[in-house]
Amino acid sequence: MENLLNTQVKSIELSGIRRFFNMVSDEKDIISLTIGQPDFVTPTHIKEATIQALHTNKTTYTNNAGIPELRKAISNFYEKKYNVHYNPDNEIIVTAGASQAIDIVFRTILNPGDEVILPSPIYPGYEPLITLAGAIPVYVDTTQADFKLTKNSLSNAITERTKCVVLPYPSNPTGASFTKDELRNLVDVLKQKNIFILADEIYSELVYDDTHTSIASFQQVKDRTIVVNGLSKSHSMTGFRIGYTLAPNWLTKHLLKVHQYNVSCASSISQYAALEALTNGVNDPERMKETYRVRRDFVYNRLMDMGLSVNKPNGAFYLFPRFPDTTLNSFELGVDLVKKGKVAIVPGGSFTYLGEGYMRLSYAYDMKTLEEGIIRIERYLYEHF
Ligand SMILES: Cc1ncc(COP(=O)(O)O)c(C=O)c1O
């Protein structure tokens, strides 16, 4: 019977991160620096708002696009922070995490044969959805450009079949983020083309040395931009599953059809939690960010001291060092590190072939765990290279 399944579904694989975990799941006494979710508990006032929503029976379907109060709060958030206006009535959809937002965007805009530009190494959540739509992922090598798409690399990747470019900044796995000027360079190229921009801004609240610029703040491309964001990383709410799309009305009305037939609406009580986060908790990420910054500096300095080549990331909570040359690919190296070094970090090959040679470390862990993890990496390198 398996041969009767959808051919595209058969062709996609489990994510590299999942395959790596399956390879090492039996190992004991491991320090893990793998996880992509904040280690902070969800702020208490948000948890209380969730309980309150339950007690007041906010447990029914909501408007397909999300409760109006939350859409208004999202609109205010972008207005205040980025000076970008989205109409809460018809330009915002609340989704089940950023993941579902990405899914409805691709299913709304892609036809078979369309090309989607992916600056790589890149988060593995886009490619399978592009393939499922019968479209073609086009990887752009950013390893020689501080992991950023540039005017040249973007221009060179565009063909007459390009339908969309994904701008996933700040980046998982590299932590790279754009300055306003760097974004402007891309806008110069994109404003002349009929290409959608999917701006995944899920790490927008975790930018360390300057502030995040949303590409939607460039009026020249706002009409073709779909911003995806959510509460998972900013407010440590990964399990609440709340994300959202911001897009012009003409596009949102099509996104909403796909969303409606997909999930009807995001979880009602989670929407009330998100409403609290974006009204009384807008500054919650600041506190977490200061802790991440200290950790980032610590891990970065230690990796540099080990002689590893690594960019100092300006966003998210990952570092992406290059490992010394070896005959092992990044998955084999990851397994070897677990077995011999008793420390788990994510193989760079999980983020497309352009991540080979690199490994991703998450610093969403307390200092004690980070210190021990780093000692183990250092020892492994000393003993095996
Ligand atoms: C770049 C990026 N986009 C989207 C997501 C998915 O976010 P959510 O948990 O809100 O679905 C992640 C999660 O790790 C991510 O790293």
Side-chain angles (χ1 to χ4, degrees), residues 36 96-100 102 123 126 168 170 172 200 202-203 230 232-233 238 241-243 318:
S99 306
Q100 195 230 341
I102 295 165
Y123 169 66
Y126 312 108
N172 170 10
D200 181 346
I202 191 80
Y203 294 100
S232 298
K233 316 287 176 171
T238 49
R241 311 307 303 131
I242 293 292
Y318 310 102

Side-chain angles (χ1 to χ4, degrees), residues 36-330:
Q37 69 176 341
D39 58 316
F40 299 96
V41 291
T42 307
T44 306
H45 68 108
I46 297 175
K47 292 195 274 196
E48 276 163 3
T50 321
I51 294 166
Q52 180 68 9
L54 271 172
H55 285 318
T56 50
N57 297 315
K58 303 287 193 333
T59 53
T60 60
Y61 292 126
T62 70
N63 185 303
N64 295 127
I67 55 172
E69 308 91 299
L70 176 55
R71 283 183 276 137
K72 181 99 187 87
I74 293 167
S75 174
N76 287 344
F77 176 65
Y78 263 74
E79 185 99 50
K80 260 205 179 130
K81 181 152 184 180
Y82 303 110
N83 202 15
V84 178
H85 180 70
Y86 284 99
N87 186 340
D89 295 334
N90 54 28
E91 296 188 316
I92 297 178
I93 302 173
V94 180
T95 57
S99 306
Q100 195 230 341
I102 295 165
D103 182 43
I104 63 171
V105 170
F106 284 142
R107 288 205 280 151
T108 301
I109 65 174
L110 295 181
N111 284 315
D114 287 345
E115 293 178 353
V116 180
I117 295 176
L118 299 175
S120 302
I122 192 166
Y123 169 66
Y126 312 108
E127 186 218 280
L129 301 176
I130 295 166
T131 312
L132 278 178
I136 301 156
V138 175
Y139 306 110
V140 174
D141 184 351
T142 62
T143 57
Q144 304 309 308
D146 294 333
F147 301 117
K148 296 181 198 186
L149 196 63
T150 62
K151 199 171 183 163
N152 270 349
S153 59
L154 172 62
S155 304
N156 292 338
I158 293 175
T159 72
E160 70 280 3
R161 292 201 296 181
T162 306
K163 177 62 77 68
C164 176
V165 55
V166 177
L167 293 182
Y169 294 97
S171 154
N172 170 10
T174 69
S177 73
F178 282 124
T179 63
K180 193 165 192 168
D181 286 342
E182 287 166 338
L183 261 184
R184 187 175 290 114
N185 287 335
L186 302 186
V187 168
D188 282 346
V189 177
L190 291 165
K191 70 182 183 203
Q192 307 163 19
K193 311 272 179 192
N194 288 330
I195 295 175
F196 291 107
I197 302 165
L198 194 177
D200 181 346
E201 304 193 344
I202 191 80
Y203 294 100
S204 62
E205 302 317 291
L206 299 177
V207 173
Y208 300 103
D209 302 323
D210 75 59
T211 50
H212 175 73
T213 306
S214 176
I215 192 154
S217 60
F218 291 91
Q219 277 306 320
Q220 306 98 304
V221 291
K222 185 166 177 261
D223 64 333
R224 70 206 59 185
T225 295
I226 307 131
V227 174
V228 167
N229 206 332
L231 282 292
S232 298
K233 316 287 176 171
S234 59
H235 289 76
S236 196
M237 290 174 65
T238 49
F240 283 79
R241 311 307 303 131
I242 293 292
Y244 51 87
T245 58
L246 307 174
N249 172 235
W250 66 267
L251 181 50
T252 296
K253 69 179 191 214
H254 293 288
L255 291 171
L256 189 57
K257 289 184 285 182
V258 181
H259 172 71
Q260 171 182 1
Y261 292 116
N262 186 207
V263 294
S264 290
C265 62
S267 149
S268 59
I269 53 173
S270 293
Q271 290 190 57
Y272 284 93
L275 174 62
E276 172 66 18
L278 290 181
T279 42
N280 298 317
V282 173
N283 293 324
D284 290 345
E286 283 302 312
R287 176 178 51 83
M288 306 187 209
K289 197 167 92 173
E290 287 322 303
T291 308
Y292 287 133
R293 185 202 304 278
V294 173
R295 297 171 179 177
R296 175 201 62 166
D297 291 348
F298 166 75
V299 180
Y300 171 75
N301 289 332
R302 291 285 278 112
L303 294 175
M304 290 289 282
D305 289 346
M306 285 179 217
L308 292 178
S309 156
V310 56
N311 275 15
K312 189 166 189 176
N314 191 24
F317 37 61
Y318 310 102
L319 284 131
F320 204 58
R322 188 162 183 89
F323 267 60
D325 287 344
T326 152
T327 52
L328 305 180
N329 69 32
S330 63

